[in-house]
Amino acid sequence: MSDVSFVRTEMLPQQSPPASSVGFVGWMRENLFSGVANSILTVVSGVFIIYTLWFIIGWAWSPTWNAQSLNECRAILHDLGREGHWAGACWGVINDRWEQLLFGFYPNGTEAGVADMRWRPILAFVLLGFALAPVLYAEKVPAKMIYLTMAYPFIMPWLLWGGSIWGPIMVAAGFVIGYIGYRVLSQLAGSLIALILSVVLAVAWWLFAAGGIAGMLADLTPALGLEPVESRKFGGFMLSITIGVVAIGLSLPIGIVLALGRQSDLLIVKSLCVGFIEFIRGVPLITLLFVASTLLNIFMPPGTDFDIIMRVFIMVTLFASAYMAEVIRGGLAALPKGQYEGADSLGLNYWQAQRLIIMPQALKISIPGIVSTFIGVFKDTTLVSVIGLFDPLNLTNAIRADSDWNGIVWELYGFIALLFFVFCYGMSRYSMYLERKLRTDHH
Amino acid sequence: MSDLAVDRSIDRSKMTVSDEVAIEISNMNKWYGAFHVLRDINLTVNQGERIVIAGPSGSGKSTLIRCINRLEEHQAGRIIVDGTELTSDLKNIDKIRSEVGMCFQHFNLFPHLTILENCTLAPIWVRKTPRKEAIETAMHFLEKVKIPDQANKYPGQLSGGQQQRVAIARSLCMKPRIMLFDEPTSALDPEMIKEVLDTMIELAEEGMTMLCVTHEMGFARQVANRVIFMDQGQIVEQNEPEEFFNNPKSERTKLFLSQILGH
């Protein structure tokens, strides 16, 4: 009977774990040599990695930075006694053409009578960093910086394309007019009617008033403007970033609206959203870009000159939005029904519940998917080469067309890959930082 | 199952039922697809009543109280809450929801907001209370449920019992006239059930109108002024707790009570 009886008289203190399971030795045992098969795999992989790195570093370690042509590279390597296809990299091409890979044909001062304007995309890019800071690191920067963020969508096109300052100001004024209109009208009528009327008001301003007034003001103050730069001068990495930033910046809000629309109880709204998403996702981006570059002109009134980059913006944004909508829908689906009920039971209306309860959580769940879509869109910007825009990949063809550099492949693609990698890896790291920051389950 | 919810005597001085009608449900029916989940429900609740709704799972008791703040929609009959009839009019629904507090089995706190933010959100956005005042009210109710020191933590860092007490405080911050409880202790460890029941008893002592779906028969005996037994979507029996437990009339009630109190 007393066999099963046991009373602990003294509680055991904590002890440190055995030395072989902690520290460097413990880590090695755990992760690299936890069994015979794993130890063999570790050794084989190690040999493979070292061999590959040895080969790549040997190729990349090549004193050809100042070479003026591929032949000169070969001569330098020949003098060093390095022969053959993998004798060494020819970095001269990067030294010669890196500015073109970054800026395309943006005026750089070499053309007679045209100044070096590359400070404009550089400034736009630097300002982008400041404009993004309040969004990315909300609690670490002064709250007032959000005004720069709000102004940036108008500053960026002005810096890049130039022209009179009044154009972007008049476009921005349309938003202000729409906002004031909504505030005034929502006092008089229902909020939905006020919303529709204020959108009509803003669109009417853009269509009928903005252009004329901007033109008039531009004539009065010709000094307040930048030298215009045509879209076909855009190219290189600058073009990729421009398209990427616009598509990323617009696809998130549009994607949220589409995802909410797809969940709507209103049949027409729902069908429109589902139809749009399924159509866009069912068509390759290249097809959309071809439509943008060729077919769209057929539907436009004759004589309309609809900027090619603007068309690309629209198509890439629509494409990204459809994917974004589905990613966000995944986040919405992952939210327990109780969150909706909790919000409802407190008397929050639909938009309050979405903004305060549902979206913050759904977006947080969707962060990995959202950032994957961002990265995908950014890399897909290279597809604009198929409609003749000079993104970095298309520029490599132009560079190889030069007899000096005919035959260069790895160096150019490697350089472009490195640039893309830096940006994509940055986005990926940021998303991981954000996920860590937004974790509230335990600290 | 324990018969007593608390081991202290309950102050009944404010537990008075007034003549004012808080909720009136007449000939209410609801279907899930073809399934007739609530059948001809008639129920009048006066201000100050404490009603416990009991019944086997699937009997429609949760659905009934979820109809009162229109988390579920009824298809026939009328529900009038505080003089406002529940129709598809969104304005009425939001008004009633802000007057009627609700606590859920799984608390439904907002995990991305701190405890304090959970409590101030609805007063600030729905009632348009100034932030400072909303925080004061929230701290008052958090003190009442005895967790003011957790105000800046997130729900995920609290125990189940604490979370449910926060959920009660969150509802109280809207100063509701009626509180609905949908199995508030069913997801809790036995040790935590008592702290939540204590909070609910305090609420009853202050004269709050309460409708509780619960299996805590000790709570029903001590606090309720009426117990309703439901089965197959219908109200089978209702009575004062003493009569209900000691002298049930219907066979179905007897069977249920013998099963739930039998061990």
Side-chain angles (χ1 to χ4, degrees):
Chain A
M1 175 192 160
S2 62
D3 283 349
V4 294
S5 166
F6 168 78
V7 177
R8 184 176 288 288
T9 52
E10 184 184 0
M11 301 307 271
L12 296 175
Q14 273 211 45
Q15 289 179 335
S16 43
S20 62
S21 69
V22 291
F24 183 65
V25 176
W27 182 88
M28 294 257 286
R29 268 176 91 104
E30 176 79 18
N31 294 295
L32 297 178
F33 302 102
S34 63
V36 177
N38 284 346
S39 302
I40 294 172
L41 274 177
T42 299
V43 172
V44 171
S45 326
V47 168
F48 177 75
I49 290 169
I50 289 169
Y51 176 78
T52 314
L53 275 181
W54 187 254
F55 176 78
I56 290 177
I57 292 170
W59 173 78
W61 187 260
S62 164
T64 48
W65 186 248
N66 292 317
Q68 296 299 316
S69 69
L70 183 56
N71 287 332
E72 202 171 317
C73 281
R74 287 188 179 135
I76 291 170
L77 291 169
H78 177 79
D79 290 344
L80 291 170
R82 288 161 69 167
E83 297 288 351
H85 195 57
W86 297 107
C90 180
W91 295 121
V93 66
I94 305 297
N95 189 15
D96 189 37
R97 297 300 184 104
W98 67 273
E99 291 170 64
Q100 193 178 22
L101 284 169
L102 292 186
F103 297 103
F105 303 105
Y106 209 83
N108 61 357
T110 51
E111 206 177 326
V114 184
D116 184 355
M117 297 179 196
R118 285 171 302 172
W119 63 272
R120 281 160 47 176
I122 293 172
L123 179 62
F125 187 67
V126 171
L127 281 179
L128 174 67
F130 285 105
L132 280 178
V135 180
L136 300 183
Y137 302 99
E139 67 278 9
K140 290 182 187 163
V141 296
K144 289 247 162 60
M145 271 178 73
I146 197 80
Y147 293 114
L148 173 65
T149 312
M150 284 158 72
Y152 189 77
F154 309 103
I155 298 175
M156 186 189 85
W158 180 60
L159 278 175
L160 292 181
W161 276 274
S164 159
I165 182 82
W166 294 107
I169 289 180
M170 288 301 126
V171 173
F175 285 98
V176 176
I177 286 171
Y179 177 72
I180 295 174
Y182 176 74
R183 289 304 289 268
V184 173
L185 288 167
S186 58
Q187 307 284 331
L188 306 174
S191 58
L192 185 67
I193 298 170
L195 183 68
I196 294 171
L197 283 178
S198 54
V199 169
V200 170
L201 198 67
V203 170
W205 164 265
W206 287 321
L207 285 182
F208 303 114
I213 297 177
M216 240 161 56
L217 288 168
D219 290 339
L220 287 177
T221 54
L224 289 176
L226 290 169
E227 189 82 8
V229 176
E230 294 166 57
S231 283
R232 60 184 177 80
K233 300 272 187 192
F234 280 50
F237 208 58
M238 181 196 115
L239 179 67
S240 297
I241 291 182
T242 310
I243 298 171
V245 165
V246 170
I248 285 171
L250 292 179
S251 66
L252 187 60
I254 297 176
I256 290 174
V257 172
L258 284 172
L260 290 178
R262 190 167 188 165
Q263 290 212 321
S264 168
D265 295 331
L266 306 170
L267 183 69
I268 294 182
V269 173
K270 185 180 172 151
S271 321
L272 280 176
C273 291
V274 171
F276 175 84
I277 292 169
E278 295 304 337
F279 172 73
I280 296 282
R281 289 204 311 166
V283 176
L285 179 55
I286 292 187
T287 317
L288 292 177
L289 290 174
F290 269 123
V291 169
S293 80
T294 55
L295 276 178
L296 219 53
N297 271 352
I298 298 173
F299 298 115
M300 291 286 164
T304 339
D305 182 28
F306 196 29
D307 191 275
I308 180 71
I309 293 187
M310 192 62 78
R311 287 184 254 167
V312 169
F313 280 165
I314 293 172
M315 284 306 180
V316 177
T317 302
L318 293 183
F319 187 77
S321 304
Y323 278 88
M324 194 59 70
E326 287 298 279
V327 168
I328 293 168
R329 191 168 69 95
L332 287 171
L335 267 196
K337 201 166 149 251
Q339 291 295 311
Y340 292 89
E341 292 179 351
D344 283 347
S345 74
L346 289 169
L348 295 169
N349 66 32
Y350 176 80
W351 291 110
Q352 287 172 335
Q354 290 299 337
R355 202 184 117 200
L356 300 165
I357 308 299
I358 306 303
M359 270 307 148
Q361 297 187 66
L363 290 179
K364 184 183 132 188
I365 297 171
S366 322
I367 287 171
I370 290 174
V371 175
S372 288
T373 311
F374 282 173
I375 290 174
V377 169
F378 183 50
K379 291 189 297 183
D380 280 353
T381 57
T382 52
L383 288 175
V384 298
S385 58
V386 300
I387 57 167
L389 288 179
F390 281 96
D391 83 298
L393 290 190
N394 208 9
L395 276 173
T396 61
N397 293 330
I399 292 170
R400 270 194 298 271
D402 184 337
S403 59
D404 282 347
W405 304 115
N406 194 347
I408 293 266
V409 179
W410 291 94
E411 295 81 350
L412 286 171
Y413 288 134
F415 179 68
I416 294 165
L418 185 71
L419 286 177
F420 272 100
F421 179 79
V422 167
F423 279 83
C424 296
Y425 186 66
M427 284 192 257
S428 160
R429 294 305 298 186
Y430 176 77
S431 87
M432 283 155 95
Y433 156 82
L434 197 60
E435 276 177 74
R436 260 200 317 279
K437 195 181 81 173
L438 294 179
R439 262 174 80 169
T440 57
D441 44 353
H442 51 78
H443 284 256
Chain B
M1 187 153 300
S2 126
D3 246 23
L4 288 179
V6 282
D7 36 17
R8 66 182 173 87
S9 63
I10 290 173
D11 173 15
R12 292 177 188 276
S13 58
K14 286 190 200 155
M15 289 169 119
T16 51
V17 177
S18 83
D19 291 338
E20 201 186 328
V21 175
I23 303 168
E24 194 178 346
I25 301 175
S26 44
N27 306 107
M28 193 259 277
N29 282 277
K30 174 171 177 58
W31 289 263
Y32 282 136
F35 179 58
H36 199 171
V37 58
L38 288 177
R39 306 178 196 176
D40 196 36
I41 304 287
N42 285 287
L43 179 66
T44 305
V45 181
N46 284 352
Q47 202 61 251
E49 280 207 86
R50 302 152 314 275
I51 295 177
V52 163
I53 303 170
S57 66
S59 60
K61 50 195 193 309
S62 284
T63 313
L64 171 60
I65 71 163
R66 288 158 59 86
C67 281
I68 293 171
N69 65 353
R70 209 169 169 102
L71 289 182
E72 306 281 353
E73 201 175 320
H74 61 283
Q75 283 105 354
R78 304 178 74 183
I79 302 178
I80 298 170
V81 181
D82 245 358
T84 313
E85 182 169 0
L86 271 175
T87 55
S88 52
D89 185 345
L90 287 174
K91 281 229 168 75
N92 280 354
I93 294 174
D94 282 341
K95 178 169 172 286
I96 287 171
R97 281 172 178 170
S98 65
E99 302 291 337
V100 179
M102 185 162 197
C103 292
F104 301 88
Q105 182 176 0
H106 296 289
F107 332 129
N108 296 358
L109 293 176
F110 306 130
H112 62 301
L113 301 176
T114 63
I115 301 306
L116 190 61
E117 287 165 344
N118 264 279
C119 293
T120 56
L121 184 95
I124 288 173
W125 289 91
V126 180
R127 289 246 191 278
K128 314 289 180 204
T129 316
R131 179 172 296 271
K132 194 160 160 266
E133 198 185 315
I135 290 176
E136 276 166 20
T137 315
M139 287 313 292
H140 167 75
F141 284 112
L142 286 175
E143 255 155 55
K144 208 173 143 79
V145 301
K146 301 186 186 68
I147 31 179
D149 45 329
Q150 315 276 11
N152 291 315
K153 288 194 180 170
Y154 287 95
Q157 296 166 288
L158 269 54
S159 75
Q162 289 174 323
Q163 290 193 43
Q164 191 60 289
R165 284 185 285 150
V166 171
I168 294 173
R170 179 176 76 174
S171 298
L172 292 179
C173 284
M174 289 294 280
K175 311 260 175 72
R177 286 161 55 84
I178 302 163
M179 283 289 290
L180 308 173
F181 291 88
D182 188 3
E183 306 206 22
T185 55
S186 301
L188 297 177
D189 289 345
E191 279 184 322
M192 293 169 184
I193 291 176
K194 190 177 161 298
E195 61 188 51
V196 170
L197 288 180
D198 274 344
T199 309
M200 289 168 65
I201 290 168
E202 273 173 42
L203 211 55
E205 285 176 330
E206 284 165 17
M208 176 67 79
T209 311
M210 297 165 70
L211 271 86
C212 313
V213 172
T214 183
H215 298 298
E216 296 297 324
M217 291 303 138
F219 175 81
R221 242 181 230 275
Q222 286 187 308
V223 178
N225 70 315
R226 192 154 35 131
V227 181
I228 292 174
F229 177 70
M230 286 184 73
D231 190 28
Q232 295 176 20
Q234 302 150 69
I235 295 179
V236 174
E237 186 166 349
Q238 55 173 318
N239 215 330
E240 291 178 350
E242 205 61 25
E243 272 294 294
F244 179 85
F245 288 110
N246 297 341
N247 197 6
K249 304 284 187 299
S250 115
E251 286 305 315
R252 186 67 191 87
T253 315
K254 285 177 191 166
L255 180 66
F256 177 75
L257 286 177
S258 75
Q259 277 169 348
I260 194 167
L261 300 172
H263 47 92

